[in-house]
Amino acid sequence: MEDILGYFEKIDQAKTEEVSPTSHVIEVINEMRDDKLGKELERKEALKNASEEEKGYFKGPRVKD
Amino acid sequence: MKAVEAIGKIKRGELSSLKYIESFLSKIEKKEDKINAFITLNEEKAREKARQIDVKIDNDEEVGKLAGTPLAIKDSIITKNIKTTCGSKMLEDFVPPYDSTTVSRLKEQDGIILGKTNCDEFCMGTSTETSYFGATHNPIDHEKVPGGSSGGSAAAIKYGASPLSLGSDTGGSVRCPAAFCGAVGLKPTYGTVSRYGLIAYASSLDQIGPITDSVEDAAFLFDLIKGKDKNDSTSVEYPEKEVSNSLDIDLSNKKIGVPQEFFGEGVDEEVRKEVKKTIKELEGKGAQIKYINIPSMEYALPSYYLIAMGESSSNLARFDGIRYGYSENIDQNWEKMFSETRKKGFGEEVKRRIILGTYGLSAGYYEKYYQKALKIRTLLKKDFKKAFKQTDLLISPTMPFKPFNIGEKIEDPLSLYQADILTVPINMVGLPAISIPSNEEDIGVQIIGEPFSEQKILSTAKILEEEH
């Protein structure tokens, strides 16, 4: 892990004072969809891969000890 | 036989879809044990679907453009009711309730899923050795790695287990295995192929692409999967309806750039020589060769890894063991359950990238690592833009060296990362690029173009394919 971090240090040398960051490479305009209900997964289908379910909900671990 | 030729035969009634599929299944039966290209096979359902399509053809009913052609789909792409593991214990039993957009588009055209192919765990690797389901062997030489992370898809194509396949490419994962296995791999322009249903690694870099045995098949498959999808807000409409309709190009008025940094330190002499021969071939076809520079290339690899690891640390937070995936100790408290699940469900390389990615994004280090990497991305973008002002296409090796032995580099992650040096800059800038075999079948040539120049790239690759 140390070696990898050491390797990453290399980017310090790049001159980027006047450069702005790029997080998305292609130009896209934000598009909103109509606020209409689409076709969603059936509840049964959505719960199919859950480790545990209860009354049609995902069951999570205890929040309080 | 190319897939496009077989499809013509099926449609004319000269070959049945079932017979076509059986020819691949018999190869699988003979060789799959030695190669391990697939995590899941879908033989029976595939046969059943083929029979249905054959009946349709017999009755002169309309069939889709794939007409019952089998497909090998990388296991990072989700398939309804077919187990999708992404090479991880975390998703060992995950059966998706819906299809990815790419898969549903292929199914609409009567494509048949033959199986799900092996890959590095969560696509994190260059050799398909980090898969929880064991390494895939290179069909050219079983001792060697097939490349990665889409190693299963490329190996399946090479040993004749499927005529068409899909991979996904975040930093070279389509092109690398194509290069190592002597196949054709196209990484499309970012945004042209929907990522809906692709298990996310690094969302701003990920792109699904075809791996095939010929350029024509790659172009055909690309046409079927490309185009805007309302379920992926980063997807864009492709400017042309088809790229596979015309794969002819006159190189006599084209300038092909040779970026010097792609032939520098770390690139084996043998690889360099082979690719230079290919450049001569293009020159022979009338192309003008121009030597150019991508100065920011020296920072591309570390900044790619910082971005990819950062994005993956966030993307992989969804594996909590509750809604889907491996689960441990649900009776414990939240913290214990979450960390135990992730400790046991993820492999070593995935954990390494999550830890490093989290570190690079953390307060106090964000500017130094992640943001700096994004700035270098801007530099790369500028360098490539400048390069394409003087040239039509760029050419380089795909990989800096030939396939290495299984087990040779896996203990030294940094040396594996360095194998990606020539492929990651392309993802950083979102450009399209193809890898096709040189005269040596396990040395790939990479042709890089401007956004949406897939037709130009594919046609140039086709010229080289005819030469080789």
Side-chain angles (χ1 to χ4, degrees), chain B residues 361-379:
Chain B
L361 288 173
S362 59
Y365 292 101
Y366 176 83
E367 285 81 9
K368 178 179 163 66
Y369 291 119
Y370 187 72
Q371 197 183 55
K372 180 88 180 182
L374 292 181
K375 287 181 178 175
I376 289 168
R377 195 176 197 175
T378 308
L379 296 180

Side-chain angles (χ1 to χ4, degrees), chain B residues 18 51 102 106 121 131 182-183 202 252 255 257 287 300 337 386 405 452:
Chain B
L18 185 63
R51 283 186 204 106
T102 45
L106 296 176
E121 185 179 4
S131 168
S252 65
K255 286 189 191 121
M337 187 254 170
K386 200 174 147 200
N405 287 334
F452 309 109

Side-chain angles (χ1 to χ4, degrees), chain A residues 2-65:
Chain A
E2 294 277 301
D3 289 353
I4 299 168
L5 274 178
Y7 178 68
F8 289 167
E9 296 291 327
K10 190 178 170 63
I11 64 169
D12 281 347
Q13 298 160 19
K15 289 195 178 65
T16 54
E17 287 77 21
E18 303 287 309
V19 181
S20 53
T22 299
S23 43
H24 194 75
V25 282
I26 49 161
E27 280 169 40
V28 283
I29 303 154
N30 207 7
E31 236 178 276
M32 298 295 196
R33 66 166 175 84
D34 294 336
D35 189 18
K36 276 185 198 150
L37 197 62
K39 202 175 153 253
E40 301 298 336
L41 276 182
E42 296 279 328
R43 183 179 287 245
K44 214 176 91 196
E45 286 287 293
L47 288 166
K48 201 173 67 174
N49 283 285
S51 53
E52 280 186 53
E53 58 155 307
E54 202 173 293
K55 295 174 185 159
Y57 291 93
F58 293 112
K59 191 181 173 187
R62 266 181 290 144
V63 181
K64 257 175 87 181
D65 271 322

Side-chain angles (χ1 to χ4, degrees), chain B residues 193-209:
Chain B
V193 179
S194 169
R195 291 182 296 107
Y196 181 69
L198 168 66
I199 295 171
Y201 166 17
S203 308
S204 79
L205 303 161
D206 295 339
Q207 194 65 188
I208 293 171

Side-chain angles (χ1 to χ4, degrees), chain B residues 4 46 84 147 169 171 179 181 249 310 318 349 359 380 384 461:
Chain B
V4 288
T84 300
D169 191 316
C181 293
I249 192 167
R318 71 192 61 178
E349 183 57 31
Y359 182 74
L380 276 164
F384 275 101

